[in-house]
Amino acid sequence: MNAPASLPSGSPWHRRLPGLGVAAGLAGVSYALATLPGLAVVGPLTVALLIGIFLRTTLGLAPGLVEGTRYSARTVLRLGIVLMGARLDFGLVAKVGPRVLLLALAVIVGGILGLRWVTKRFGVPEKLGTLLAVGTSICGASAVVAASSVTRAEEEDTTLAVGLCGILGTVGVLFYVFVGPVLGLSTAQLAILSGATLHEVAQVMAAAFTWGTSAGDLGTLVKLTRVVLLAPALVVLGLVSGAGGQVRYSLKEPPIPWFVIGFLTVGVLGSVGVVPAAAKAWLSTASVFLMVMAMAAMGLGTHLRMVRRAGMRVVYVGLVGFAGLVLFAWGLIQLLGIQ
């Protein structure tokens, strides 16, 4: 990590290339590590973040890497969000049925509002609280990194929220696998509950497929419905973000950020068949890789001191919020009569 202290000369791209190369290399390592049994549930986004933090803490960050890693954490991240639209399939909304769709909507709206209330009670900063609420209620690290750009959150807040979602989601998988069977729910209800509350798609699959293929498919479908609903959630965040929640109108800074518009456009084009299936798969893979690069870069820009500054209250908020979301979703399953 201790590259020459002087910045490379030449164009901005020459100065960015070393940092971009390091971020891309760490992304490749993160993908490889995320295939290991103990890390598969966490996913490459969180792995890349943790590797970046470890390297920054132990080796530091050479000045020649700063511009490229900063570019990765901002511009590359937003490009990844645009391409993430290829993962959307608005046809899923029709497949899950009205009661399960209502459950997913209620979990997202109730989860975000409830967690924001909890974060205020614990004195967690507003933007960090919003990232935790969005990540817990929708789709973990992907939602956090998308919402961080919409809300203009600090990189340290994004780092904390991504890391916490990864850890809590892993704890959630263990909870469902070992405690789920004694909750008095049917296999289908357990699958729906895990799909409605766990943070990452991989976490839902790790839990739901332990109860059979049908349960795994059902849980994954519910989870992907939450992923689709990230799109309208980002639109709402874009409309209310900013000082005093006021909407800003300008070509350069529209009320909905341009990268969110791109995200929605790619999602719509893919859903109506304009983007071929093979291209959607490639774009989806590229989007994850770019966001893993961004997470590695954010980790390289973060020191463990930020954890001490945040304090245990952030961990408590995450635990309380996730537990509350599970109870809320369980109550909705009973109320809606989902069997």
Side-chain angles (χ1 to χ4, degrees), residues 68 114 124 158 171 302:
V124 173
T158 305
V171 172
T302 304

Side-chain angles (χ1 to χ4, degrees), residues 140-156:
S142 298
V144 169
V145 296
S148 68
S149 291
V150 174
T151 60
R152 295 170 176 80
E154 297 294 330
E155 290 182 14
E156 287 190 357

Side-chain angles (χ1 to χ4, degrees), residues 238-241 246-256:
L239 290 172
V240 302
S241 63
Q246 296 178 352
V247 178
R248 297 178 298 269
Y249 292 98
S250 71
L251 184 62
K252 182 179 179 181
E253 199 171 325
I256 303 172

